[in-house]
Amino acid sequence: MTINLAVFLNLLFIIGRVLAIVLALVIGFNIWKQLKAIAIELKKANGAKATPEADEKN
């Protein structure tokens, strides 16, 4: 009985680790997508402001 319990607990730990890794990858991918979208928005904003700033500096 104790051997079966040990095997069961090991399987639970392995499943828990796999789920944790998958969850971390999903969260990381979502954060990366959001940062990429923010970077695109900032590039658009900087592109729109580039000409007036250049005129003000000169």
Side-chain angles (χ1 to χ4, degrees):
M1 194 66 181
T2 55
I3 296 173
N4 290 336
L5 183 61
V7 171
F8 178 69
L9 288 176
N10 279 331
L11 286 176
L12 281 181
F13 283 128
I14 291 170
I15 292 171
R17 283 185 185 175
V18 170
L19 287 177
I21 291 170
V22 170
L23 187 63
L25 287 174
V26 169
I27 291 173
F29 183 69
N30 285 336
I31 291 173
W32 180 75
K33 284 196 324 187
Q34 287 181 354
L35 287 176
K36 191 174 176 184
I38 291 170
I40 291 172
E41 290 296 323
L42 286 176
K43 283 182 183 177
K44 286 180 184 176
N46 286 336
K49 294 179 182 176
T51 49
E53 284 178 1
D55 291 340
E56 289 173 4
K57 287 180 182 176
N58 291 335

